């Protein structure tokens, strides 16, 4: 009997489970050709990273989309306030003091005859600038100190932990009243410096815990066994896997810093006139709340909307980066 040529397809079909094996091979080939791959994979069936999964979830989250649109609009008017508001926020006319909405002034006038709409738009620049710069300073300082404490441990960790406890014991508003009351500068830098000084312990503690968890993983032990330096392990292996909680906390804290700047300006120790700030406008409009409530309503509403947008953004980022919620 002549020997039959070997045919892989026929050999597979001849086995008892040939149908299932043939179907599995066909599905695998189809998935490899599919750009998106199956659920949880990227192109060519490769697993997606935490960041790609997070971005995929964020694009489908309406809370993230709404808050992102609001924040982008705030950034736009902070950079180009003249695009939607004409005139100077410092130009006032006492003859129009406490007047209601009118031509060129859809929000009316405050107690000094200033255009509330123009001042509300220009006030976004100060609030967003303070919030972003304070958050960056807090995130960088807290992350560096916390990462060093969590990685090296020992005396350095104990010393930094005690310093962190001391800063946590200082009430933020009371500390601002004490420290900023002696500052005569009329710029945003003293306020930003105060927020960084009292804000880094929270980020530092979060970063320390993340680094302690990450450095116990097998890939860190393998890198150390291969002779990688401490700086390389920290920058290449630990930081990318420990930065997610820091990003979440910093995003939520950004809205808190904007509210803190408005609070300090309202109390008279933050920004001072002629600076334009929502806190200054709220403080100036408070005595006229009965006769001109619009002067208090609009800057207060803008402040509340801004803080809410950043808190919503932080919540959405937290949900996307938390693997326990998948």
């Amino acid at each position: 009997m002549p020997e039959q040529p070997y045919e892989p397809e026929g050999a597979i079909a001849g086995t008892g489970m040939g149908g299932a094996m043939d179907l599995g091979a066909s599905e695998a080939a189809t998935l490899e050709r599919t750009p998106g791959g199956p659920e949880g994979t990227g192109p060519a069936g490769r697993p997606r990273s935490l960041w790609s999964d997070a971005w995929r979830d964020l694009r489908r989250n309406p809370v993230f989309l709404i808050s992102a649109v609001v924040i982008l609009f705030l950034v736009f008017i902070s950079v180009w306030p003249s695009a939607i508001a004409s005139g100077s926020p410092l130009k006032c006319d006492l003859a129009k003091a406490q007047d209601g909405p009118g031509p060129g002034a859809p929000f009316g006038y405050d107690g000094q005859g200033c255009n509330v709409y123009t001042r509300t738009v220009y006030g976004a620049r100060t609030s967003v600038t303070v919030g972003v710069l304070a958050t960056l300073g807090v995130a960088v300082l807290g992350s560096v100190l916390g990462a060093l404490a969590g990685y090296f441990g020992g005396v350095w960790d104990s010393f930094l932990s005690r310093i962190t406890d001391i800063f946590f014991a200082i009430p933020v508003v009371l500390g601002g009243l004490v420290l900023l009351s002696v500052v005569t500068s009329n710029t945003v830098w003293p306020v930003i410096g105060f927020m960084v000084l009292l804000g880094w312990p929270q980020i530092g503690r979060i970063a320390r815990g993340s680094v302690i968890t990450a450095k116990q993983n097998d890939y860190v032990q393998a890198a150390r066994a291969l002779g990688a330096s401490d700086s390389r392990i920290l920058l290449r292996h630990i930081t990318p896997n420990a930065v997610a909680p820091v990003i979440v906390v910093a995003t939520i804290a950004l809205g808190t810093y904007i509210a803190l700047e408005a609070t300090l300006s309202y109390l008279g120790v933050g920004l001072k006139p002629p600076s334009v700030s929502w806190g200054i406008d709220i403080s100036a409009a408070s005595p006229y709340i009965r006769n001109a409530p619009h002067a208090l309503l609009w800057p207060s509403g803008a402040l509340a909307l801004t803080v809410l947008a950043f808190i919503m953004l932080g919540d959405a980022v937290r949900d996307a980066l938390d693997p326990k919620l998948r």
Side-chain angles (χ1 to χ4, degrees), residues 4-326:
Q4 297 294 329
Y6 175 73
E7 297 180 359
E9 295 181 358
I12 293 175
T15 61
M17 299 179 63
M21 294 176 63
D22 189 24
L23 179 60
S26 175
E27 288 179 347
T30 302
L31 291 176
E32 289 182 357
R33 293 192 300 266
T34 303
E39 186 73 17
T41 61
R46 291 192 298 269
R48 288 196 299 264
S49 66
L50 172 65
W51 301 104
S52 60
D53 272 341
W55 174 238
R56 175 174 170 270
D57 292 342
L58 287 174
R59 289 181 298 175
R60 300 179 177 183
N61 190 342
V63 174
F64 170 77
L65 296 178
I66 295 174
S67 59
V69 169
V70 174
I71 292 172
L72 288 176
F73 175 73
L74 289 170
V75 172
F76 172 76
I77 65 174
S78 298
V79 178
W80 297 288
S82 58
I84 62 172
S86 59
S88 172
L90 302 179
K91 183 179 179 180
C92 305
D93 185 359
L94 286 176
K96 299 180 179 179
Q98 303 183 22
D99 285 356
F107 295 172
Y109 296 89
D110 62 11
Q112 300 296 322
C114 302
N115 192 323
V116 176
Y117 172 76
T118 303
R119 291 188 62 86
T120 302
V121 172
Y122 276 84
R125 171 181 291 179
T126 301
S127 298
V128 172
T129 300
V130 171
V132 171
L133 294 181
T135 302
L136 289 177
V138 167
V140 172
L141 181 60
S143 297
V144 171
L145 296 179
L148 293 176
Y151 182 77
F152 292 105
V155 178
W156 170 252
D157 186 18
S158 299
F159 173 76
L160 190 65
S161 297
R162 301 294 77 78
I163 296 297
T164 301
D165 293 338
I166 293 174
F167 277 95
F168 269 125
I170 301 175
V172 177
V173 176
L174 179 60
L177 290 173
V178 174
L179 296 178
L180 295 178
S181 61
V182 298
V183 176
T184 57
S185 176
N186 197 33
T187 64
V188 299
W189 298 111
V191 179
I192 294 173
F194 163 75
M195 293 180 181
V196 173
L197 179 64
L198 293 188
W200 71 266
Q202 181 185 19
I203 298 293
R205 183 162 290 183
I206 296 295
R208 173 183 175 273
S210 298
V211 170
I212 291 176
T213 302
K215 76 175 184 179
Q216 299 173 359
N217 293 327
D218 293 338
Y219 57 84
V220 176
Q221 304 301 327
R224 184 178 289 111
L226 292 174
S229 62
D230 291 332
S231 59
R232 180 178 178 84
I233 293 175
L234 269 173
L235 296 177
R236 297 292 300 274
H237 300 286
I238 292 182
T239 300
N241 295 281
V243 72
V246 174
I247 293 177
V248 172
V249 175
T251 305
I252 298 176
L254 200 156
T256 305
Y257 293 140
I258 292 177
L260 178 59
E261 179 274 322
T263 301
L264 295 174
S265 298
Y266 178 86
L267 295 175
V269 297
L271 298 177
K272 304 174 181 63
S275 298
V276 181
S277 168
W278 290 333
I280 294 175
D281 290 348
I282 294 173
S283 177
S286 297
Y288 309 105
I289 188 172
R290 293 179 179 272
N291 299 328
H294 57 272
L296 179 65
L297 173 65
W298 292 108
S300 301
L303 175 64
L305 180 63
T306 301
V307 175
L308 178 63
F310 280 106
I311 292 178
M312 291 172 57
L313 180 68
D315 287 341
V317 173
R318 179 199 59 197
D319 295 342
L321 292 178
D322 190 352
K324 296 180 182 178
L325 299 178
R326 299 188 181 281

